[in-house]
Amino acid sequence: MLRAAHGVRPSLLLCALIAAVSSASAPQSPDYTARVTASYEKVRSAALAVLSARGWQIQESKKQAGLISTDWSSVQGKYYLGCGKLSNASVVEDEQARLTVHLKKRGKRVEVTVRAQYRQSRRTGTSTRWVDCTSRGQMERAVNDEIIAASGGTF
């Protein structure tokens, strides 16, 4: 049974706990954003070229919205993601990532934001499930730096 502690009502504590648990969401990726002095067209072309050179399949490209997103692709994940501990009976079958690049004109500059989402396929016995993972930010930084370098612009 909950008891009032220092004037806090047990029902208030319970409500706060329920709100905290119910507001939990999937792991968030750190954004990596930089601004480059180059034309929007050059930066967009550079982004598409960098993603293609790295083997990413473009899922969606919306020029006016400044959005480029890739399909899920297998990655060597230990450097890029954290998925928590495996149970003794679980086996990792695959680790995948997908990238989203946002481009936004800011006067004579273009803001480039790269975000990665990660997931891990785990098999326990005969069942397999995907687990959302957190990013360590390494992929986002590397891809963003390559886009900026390929655009020929300056920071």
Side-chain angles (χ1 to χ4, degrees):
M1 179 172 190
L2 291 172
R3 297 179 128 182
H6 302 288
V8 178
R9 301 176 75 185
S11 59
L12 183 59
L13 288 172
L14 185 58
C15 287
L17 180 62
I18 290 170
V21 170
S22 66
S23 65
S25 60
Q28 295 296 310
S29 166
D31 289 344
Y32 189 79
T33 301
R35 290 185 181 174
V36 60
T37 302
S39 74
Y40 181 84
E41 288 301 321
K42 276 189 174 184
V43 176
R44 185 173 185 283
S45 293
L48 290 167
V50 165
L51 293 172
S52 178
R54 282 179 158 254
W56 294 97
Q57 296 295 314
I58 304 301
Q59 179 185 30
E60 184 175 32
S61 178
K62 294 182 177 179
K63 185 176 181 179
Q64 298 301 335
L67 173 72
I68 303 169
S69 59
T70 70
D71 236 344
W72 287 102
S73 183
S74 293
V75 295
Q76 296 295 326
K78 291 183 181 183
Y79 183 67
Y80 298 116
L81 57 100
C83 296
K85 293 188 177 189
L86 289 171
S87 68
N88 291 337
S90 292
V91 175
V92 174
E93 291 191 323
D94 194 14
E95 292 174 322
Q96 295 185 345
R98 69 177 169 189
L99 299 177
T100 304
V101 178
H102 292 276
L103 306 174
K104 192 170 203 173
K105 292 179 189 177
R106 300 274 190 196
K108 293 183 179 183
R109 304 179 100 190
V110 177
E111 186 177 85
V112 182
T113 301
V114 178
R115 176 177 290 139
Q117 289 178 280
Y118 293 98
R119 66 185 183 181
Q120 186 180 70
S121 175
R122 295 181 179 181
R123 183 175 41 84
T124 306
T126 59
S127 70
T128 301
R129 68 185 174 99
W130 286 102
V131 175
D132 290 331
C133 303
T134 57
S135 174
R136 295 189 172 137
Q138 302 301 319
M139 173 107 49
E140 295 90 328
R141 177 183 297 267
V143 170
N144 198 314
D145 289 349
E146 285 181 42
I147 291 169
I148 290 171
S151 73
T154 58
F155 287 92

